[in-house]
Amino acid sequence: MTDLVIRALDESDAQLFHAHPDPLNARASHERTTHRPDWKRVALRDGTVVARGAWWGGTDDKEPVNVNWFDVAEGEVEAGAELLRSAPWQVELEINLPGDWRDHPDLAAAAETRFAAARAAGYELLVERFLYRWTPERGLPERPGRLVFAAEPDDAVFFDALRHIHAATLDAHALKAIAEGGLDRAAQEELDFFHWCPSPREWWQVARTPEGDLAGIHIPAHNPSGPTIGFIGVLPEHRGCGYAYDLLAECTHFLVEHGAEAVTAATDRGNFPMAANFAKAGFPVVRERINFHPADPTA
């Protein structure tokens, strides 16, 4: 087998990135994503692209926050691994897949090739997630009218609420942050993400019961690709009442009232209660995402 060549791309040869088959239709999940040419890398053998990766970040980010497009040709697991291993950025890896990929042997085989390359590069599985996209023909979810929603300008209120919410969470990213730095770190990472989103801080809302008790929070947001359900969280003492649906319905209405023509969202596959709420609110699963993270070399 001939030697492998790893190349970073630029404006002059960015077209090389697309000289590779797309069996998992990754392009469809990036129709509204902007990738910088110099954050794309390819692995070539005999001049043929056998692996490719696109690192991604926000408009003002100095470095990528993740790899969100990663493809590997069959039989080229080590090429894919070397592409990731040799990159200057060791960040989370997202592998976006069709929602029915498990039902089709060819798609499952293509996905497993990518998983094998990630593991060979030293990445570990973090979580599998459902990706949703609500569109107007689904109809707006009914507002139950049980909670009182209001803007809240004090970040400390959200920080305290997030600490309580994450004290009993099913979210894999939050659990990872808690394991690494406790509840304060998990809460701060959420706040940092909300501030990073290019949507107004004034959109963040708290939800209270008619008696005035804080029941939860919701964050209508725009990420760089468009309107999204930024966060839905119910305080532990108010769980069991179905309030997550109330928050989701309100968040969806809020985004539509502020011009959204479609709304994206995501939740962990293992978060069965939240997945049920998305289904009830008319959010269909459109893709799945498998998140890997670089293993701790000291572990």
Side-chain angles (χ1 to χ4, degrees), residues 60-259:
D60 297 324
D61 289 332
K62 304 301 182 186
E63 294 189 344
V65 297
N66 59 38
V67 194
N68 69 6
W69 191 336
F70 179 58
D71 282 317
V72 185
E74 183 179 354
E76 290 286 0
V77 166
E78 181 53 33
E82 183 59 22
L83 183 72
L84 294 174
R85 195 186 295 126
S86 64
W89 319 283
Q90 296 302 303
V91 291
E92 188 166 303
L93 167 65
E94 299 178 351
I95 299 178
N96 293 309
L97 303 167
D100 60 350
W101 68 274
R102 291 176 176 81
D103 301 328
H104 300 277
D106 56 335
L107 299 182
E112 290 296 339
T113 297
R114 287 147 181 77
F115 302 162
R119 290 191 291 267
Y123 282 70
E124 295 177 346
L125 176 66
L126 176 61
V127 67
E128 300 177 6
R129 288 170 65 78
F130 290 126
L131 305 183
Y132 302 90
R133 189 167 190 263
W134 176 92
T135 48
E137 64 268 18
R138 308 291 301 190
L140 279 166
E142 182 180 353
R143 283 166 155 154
R146 301 185 297 168
L147 298 173
V148 179
F149 296 93
E152 169 53 63
D154 189 354
D155 275 15
V157 172
F158 287 96
F159 183 84
D160 187 60
L162 286 162
R163 290 187 80 260
H164 283 82
I165 291 165
H166 285 329
T169 184
L170 296 174
D171 184 87
H173 284 88
L175 290 171
K176 179 176 182 287
I178 292 167
E180 294 172 347
L183 287 171
D184 282 3
R185 174 162 174 172
Q188 191 59 54
E189 284 189 3
E190 298 284 10
L191 281 180
D192 290 345
F193 171 73
F194 303 154
H195 279 296
W196 174 86
C197 288
S199 43
R201 166 64 178 83
E202 293 77 17
W203 285 9
W204 305 7
Q205 291 198 334
V206 296
R208 300 185 184 276
T209 66
E211 296 74 31
D213 295 333
L214 182 64
I217 63 174
H218 78 95
I219 312 294
H222 274 220
N223 62 30
S225 297
T228 192
I229 305 294
F231 187 84
I232 301 292
V234 178
L235 273 66
E237 59 267 31
H238 287 283
R239 291 178 187 170
C241 302
Y243 285 152
Y245 175 81
D246 301 48
L247 293 165
L248 176 57
E250 186 65 25
C251 198
T252 307
H253 276 265
F254 186 101
L255 287 166
V256 170
E257 289 165 2
H258 286 76

Side-chain angles (χ1 to χ4, degrees), residues 265-295:
T267 197
D268 294 1
R269 278 180 60 91
N271 191 341
F272 302 113
M274 198 63 223
N277 284 312
F278 277 116
K280 180 181 177 182
F283 279 71
V285 175
V286 292
R287 306 272 299 175
E288 290 195 18
R289 173 177 293 157
I290 314 298
N291 291 73
F292 288 84
H293 65 104

